[in-house]
Amino acid sequence: MLIGVPKEIKNHEYRVGLTPAAVKEFTTHGHQVMVQKDAGTAIGFLDEQYIAAGATMADDAKSIFDKAEMIVKVKEPQPNECKMLSKGQTLYTYLHLAPDPTQTELLVASGATCIAYETVTDSRNGLPLLAPMSEVAGRMSIQAGAHYLEKAHGGSGTLLGGVPGVAPGKVLIIGGGVVGTNAAKMALGMGADVTLLDRSLPRLRELDDIFGGQVKTVFSTVDAIEYYATKADLVIGAVLIPGAAAPKLLTAEHIRNMKEGSVVVDVAIDQGGCFETSRATTHQDPVYVIDGVVHYCVANMPGGVARTSTMALNNATLPFGLALANKGPKKAMLDDVHLLNGLNVHEGKVTYKAVVDTLGSKLNLTYADARTALGA
């Protein structure tokens, strides 16, 4: 198979779909890999390293989209990239379709087979290709929040860890999954006073054991969110419904009632955000203020630590990518239900129900069972 790796074009996105080490895995298995020039240069993956791993270099993205059988990316394709896709091609990347009708419409029109990292599953009911970026984003959320709590950056001037004689800052984390757990680890490490909300009692018990009672675990209700948000210096939105738009758990009224100079970080912004006042921002212009509350809603947070993120992502995506190349997309997905769960669009049909539930009426979409769409 000919695999293509275009350079990412979103604002301040320096991650790359394949590292040179991953390219070598594909070429060792007898596949060809074409990488756009300078695709990884910004984070230390040089063209010479790709060539040494067996790749050929392309001058532009169009050359890759014109020839490659499978496109491997990181972020969702932008409109001009969607228009370069065609029937018979496989796209393997993050998609986040539910909050993005434009991309969904363009991918349906392309006729391509589109596999979303964020909906591939595993035997433990986890999301293995989303998990590494959730780990990164969870840890970064506290780092970013601490930065914007500084007075010079619009915050209240609160140090999360406090000092002897001065109480630490209060951190509220909404959601106890991978993002929330990693955010709690970082916040505790900085010495903050941490409260974590979740709607699963078994998960709250697990987290209480993991953190030895150092994190306050609270069952999530509307009342609990309202109570703890108004006392927090930093709120992390860490909720996820796989493949679907994030629920709006922090309302505009909650924001109005928060402390002046507090900070909210919406890690769910890729899925539309879990705060009513959230709108996607970029690393170039990451924050805005509403009712005295600083909002950090960068839609590609892990791109800020692009080298670490790229390596962590490749560790997770490589086995599935090799299966797609070695067996062919159809057989690979039919052989592995977890990879099949990643199929979101195939030859003009939307095969992920949460996307249809969110966008179906707007785009006149109907749900197609993935196995049926593949002709099984």
Side-chain angles (χ1 to χ4, degrees), residues 20-343:
V23 167
K24 192 168 185 177
E25 291 290 326
F26 280 100
T27 57
T28 299
H29 280 77
H31 304 291
Q32 297 173 274
V33 182
M34 180 184 294
V35 180
Q36 187 175 346
K37 288 181 179 178
D38 293 324
T41 301
I43 54 173
F45 298 129
L46 307 181
D47 291 352
E48 293 82 358
Q49 293 174 290
Y50 283 109
I51 293 168
T56 58
M57 307 308 293
D59 289 330
D60 53 37
K62 187 176 186 302
S63 301
I64 289 171
F65 280 87
D66 283 349
K67 298 175 182 177
E69 296 166 82
M70 180 166 72
I71 305 290
V72 180
K73 282 176 43 63
V74 178
K75 289 305 291 177
E76 69 279 359
Q78 301 304 290
N80 61 317
E81 293 176 310
C82 292
K83 291 171 185 176
M84 288 190 283
L85 286 165
S86 59
K87 185 175 179 179
Q89 281 185 315
T90 298
L91 174 67
Y92 183 48
T93 189
Y94 287 115
L95 294 178
H96 302 292
L97 294 180
D100 193 345
T102 300
Q103 184 198 174
T104 303
E105 199 166 29
L106 288 170
L107 291 183
V108 167
S110 75
T113 297
C114 305
I115 300 167
Y117 292 161
E118 72 272 13
T119 64
V120 173
T121 57
D122 63 21
S123 59
R124 296 170 295 177
N125 297 315
L127 301 170
L129 309 192
L130 185 62
M133 296 304 92
S134 295
E135 290 166 346
V136 170
R139 295 178 183 216
M140 284 188 72
S141 68
I142 301 300
Q143 186 174 300
H147 178 75
Y148 286 101
L149 274 171
E150 295 176 19
K151 191 65 182 174
H153 297 118
S156 61
T158 299
L159 180 66
L160 280 184
V163 291
V166 180
K170 294 182 182 296
V171 176
L172 172 63
I173 301 168
I174 306 174
V178 177
V179 170
T181 302
N182 280 271
K185 287 178 182 177
M186 289 293 283
L188 273 183
M190 296 178 76
D193 178 347
V194 185
T195 300
L196 191 149
L197 305 185
D198 198 275
R199 293 187 66 85
S200 167
L201 285 174
R203 182 57 180 163
L204 291 174
R205 291 187 185 103
E206 289 175 357
L207 291 167
D208 189 62
D209 287 341
I210 289 169
F211 293 113
Q214 291 179 288
V215 170
K216 301 178 185 71
T217 55
V218 178
F219 186 77
S220 183
T221 62
V222 173
D223 187 66
I225 291 172
E226 182 175 3
Y227 176 80
Y228 287 100
T230 58
K231 296 181 179 304
D233 298 292
L234 170 61
V235 177
I236 307 297
V239 298
L240 173 72
I241 300 174
K248 299 292 189 272
L249 299 180
L250 199 67
T251 68
E253 184 178 358
H254 293 148
I255 294 290
R256 280 193 296 273
N257 292 330
M258 287 180 66
K259 296 190 291 188
E260 182 87 12
S262 54
V263 176
V264 295
V265 178
D266 195 341
V267 186
I269 194 64
D270 270 336
Q271 294 294 141
C274 59
F275 305 152
E276 197 172 49
T277 49
S278 293
R279 58 176 172 79
T281 61
T282 66
H283 286 291
Q284 185 174 334
D285 189 15
V287 297
Y288 58 93
V289 178
I290 293 179
D291 292 325
V293 176
V294 180
H295 289 59
Y296 181 97
C297 303
V298 174
N300 59 331
M301 283 180 65
V305 288
R307 185 175 174 86
T308 296
S309 295
T310 294
M311 292 189 287
L313 181 60
N314 271 239
N315 290 342
T317 59
L318 181 60
F320 291 102
L322 283 172
L324 289 165
N326 291 340
K327 296 181 176 183
K330 180 178 176 179
K331 188 175 190 315
M333 285 187 280
L334 292 177
D335 283 354
D336 184 350
V337 66
H338 300 298
L339 181 55
L340 182 66
N341 288 336
L343 184 64

